[in-house]
Amino acid sequence: MTALQKIAVVNSTAWLLLAPLSAQTTSISQDQSIRINQIQVIGTHNSYHAGLTPGEAALLRQQQRRLYEAIDYRHPPLDQQLTAGVRQIELDIFPDPQGGRFTHPPVPSPAASAGPNFDPEGEMHKPGFKVMHLQDLDQRSTCLTLVHCLAIVRSWSRQHPEHLPVFILVDCKTARIAAPSGGVTFESMTPVLFDALQGEILSVFLPGEIITPDQVRGAHATLLEAISAGGWPTLAAARGKVIFLLDNLDLASVYDRGDGALRGRILFPDTTPGTPDSAFVEVNNGTRGKIEALVRQGYLVRTRADADTREARAASTLRRDEALASGAQLISTDYPASEPAAWTGYSVSLAQGSMVRCNPINQPPACRNDLLESPAQH
């Protein structure tokens, strides 16, 4: 080997050693400049939903076919979804401070009369918030209590400390939702119950593992002022953390107790744009233009790519494509790429099946999709 060839080999070896370090440096630099509202992630709707047993499906199909078709979907356990790339989950919660309220659905409800016991571990007997879709009719969940669901998420998070923030959408069911005839009723959310909700969250996650309204507001007078000034945390500050979002516009004032700034609170409620505590907005049925305008104003926006299995049965991608193009940071679906619809193969993902990308509306010019998911791998 000549001297020139030896030099070439040395240079080539040095480049191979330095290339991963350079990519990792680039990723770390990107994390310090991109904020969590400048990315777009795919999430799941009713992420806990375990679906119906064959017996339940047959009974509900006979009794309420339209309802059956709307809820005929299911998801794997939460940790499996997160491993598949989902970065937003949704949990429907029912207050049950004494425990046992939803333990025995009345016959002839599908949950009571068809299929095996939906609660073999007796979780429904425990006091605390329950996680399910519809009382009496659709109670099968991969994790029946809020604490159980959150414990799964935290365990996964601890095993993947460099993950992008996981957005946890909490939907508080209210007494205004009609119970089946003769069915189980439940309590409406109150300030006391919201305190209990925060207590359950903090029984699982440490304060430093949660992105809170106080952190986003910082030195600003209001959340609106903060997000307008680019106050959402960077990816560098948000990795390995969770952020809780309240999926109830009508409960926002109950949750913040009229404070208007959510001081000491954990969840970001769905709010009316322009109000002092507005930072998160749900636009599930809004136009692409409306969502894009909110994204440009600094809001974190959630929308849906599909609903009630309609798009999945028809293989219709119009709503999905509009949602992706709108810049909404959180796109919820019943069919992420890892869970395509059995009827048509319909699913929701980004380029090359990814579940995260730089936001098409407000991304910084140098944002690279390939550096988003896990900087330690680059």
Side-chain angles (χ1 to χ4, degrees):
M1 182 180 295
T2 67
L4 288 177
Q5 289 174 324
K6 290 180 180 180
I7 292 173
V9 170
V10 171
N11 288 341
S12 177
T13 302
W15 182 87
L16 290 173
L17 291 173
L18 291 173
L21 294 175
S22 177
Q24 187 171 2
T25 300
T26 302
S27 180
I28 292 172
S29 176
Q30 173 167 288
D31 269 14
Q32 294 170 342
S33 62
I34 295 177
R35 299 187 179 275
I36 65 172
N37 66 316
Q38 295 176 315
I39 62 173
Q40 187 176 63
V41 304
I42 304 300
T44 48
H45 162 252
N46 291 350
S47 311
Y48 58 86
H49 197 244
L52 303 168
T53 67
E56 290 169 344
L59 183 59
L60 194 58
R61 188 188 303 114
Q62 179 183 9
Q63 295 177 346
Q64 301 185 56
R65 186 174 184 87
R66 291 185 64 183
L67 175 60
Y68 158 73
E69 291 183 349
I71 64 176
D72 184 24
Y73 60 92
R74 67 187 66 230
H75 294 297
L78 298 177
D79 53 346
Q80 293 182 26
Q81 295 180 53
L82 294 169
T83 298
V86 165
R87 290 296 175 267
Q88 174 258 301
I89 62 173
E90 179 183 10
L91 304 174
D92 290 345
I93 64 170
F94 292 71
D96 185 16
Q98 304 304 317
R101 182 182 290 263
F102 306 101
T103 303
H104 301 291
V107 175
S109 78
S113 58
N117 178 14
F118 71 94
D119 182 23
E121 303 299 324
E123 290 187 272
M124 285 292 186
H125 292 282
K126 302 174 182 178
F129 291 93
K130 303 304 187 294
V131 176
M132 57 187 176
H133 188 217
L134 298 170
Q135 75 276 24
D136 306 331
L137 292 174
D138 189 16
Q139 294 192 189
R140 295 189 186 275
S141 172
T142 58
C143 46
L144 284 168
T145 68
L146 177 62
V147 168
H148 184 186
C149 294
L150 295 183
I152 293 172
V153 176
R154 185 174 188 267
S155 177
W156 181 90
S157 176
R158 298 286 287 179
Q159 295 170 30
H160 303 82
E162 293 299 316
H163 68 78
L164 287 173
V166 174
F167 300 86
I168 302 177
L169 192 64
V170 178
D171 185 355
C172 299
K173 297 301 184 179
T174 70
R176 286 189 294 278
I177 298 176
S181 178
V184 176
T185 58
F186 52 95
E187 301 180 46
S188 293
M189 291 298 292
T190 63
V192 171
L193 284 173
F194 271 124
D195 287 345
L197 172 59
Q198 293 213 164
E200 290 202 8
I201 293 172
L202 290 174
S203 75
V204 178
F205 285 97
L206 298 175
E209 298 169 340
I210 305 171
I211 298 168
T212 67
D214 285 337
Q215 294 170 9
V216 172
R217 188 188 319 101
H220 294 278
T222 66
L223 273 173
L224 177 59
E225 182 181 309
I227 66 164
S228 299
W232 290 106
T234 63
L235 296 186
R239 285 196 182 275
K241 297 182 179 181
V242 295
I243 177 169
F244 288 92
L245 310 168
L246 180 60
D247 180 19
N248 300 92
L249 178 62
D250 58 336
L251 292 177
S253 61
V254 179
Y255 179 61
D256 73 10
R257 296 178 170 178
D259 173 73
L262 298 166
R263 292 181 176 85
R265 309 307 266 170
I266 291 175
L267 294 93
F268 292 82
D270 178 18
T271 47
T272 301
T275 54
D277 62 343
S278 59
F280 165 62
V281 180
E282 279 204 329
V283 190
N284 290 332
N285 299 299
T287 65
R288 174 178 169 181
K290 177 180 179 180
I291 294 174
E292 180 176 333
L294 290 167
V295 170
R296 292 189 185 281
Q297 293 171 49
Y299 285 100
L300 192 68
V301 183
R302 183 258 191 163
T303 193
R304 292 181 63 179
D306 44 75
D308 301 330
T309 77
R310 291 188 299 265
E311 288 79 9
R313 292 175 187 272
S316 173
T317 62
L318 178 61
R319 182 174 181 177
R320 178 194 72 184
D321 296 344
E322 287 288 289
L324 293 173
S326 72
Q329 293 89 349
L330 314 176
I331 311 291
S332 295
T333 178
D334 290 320
Y335 307 96
S338 56
E339 306 170 41
W343 309 286
T344 61
Y346 168 90
S347 67
V348 180
S349 64
L350 302 168
Q352 287 79 51
S354 173
M355 304 297 278
V356 59
R357 70 174 176 181
C358 302
N359 194 292
I361 299 302
N362 65 354
Q363 63 174 292
C367 187
R368 284 176 50 181
N369 293 328
D370 62 314
L371 298 180
L372 288 175
E373 186 49 53
S374 180
Q377 297 178 2
H378 298 283

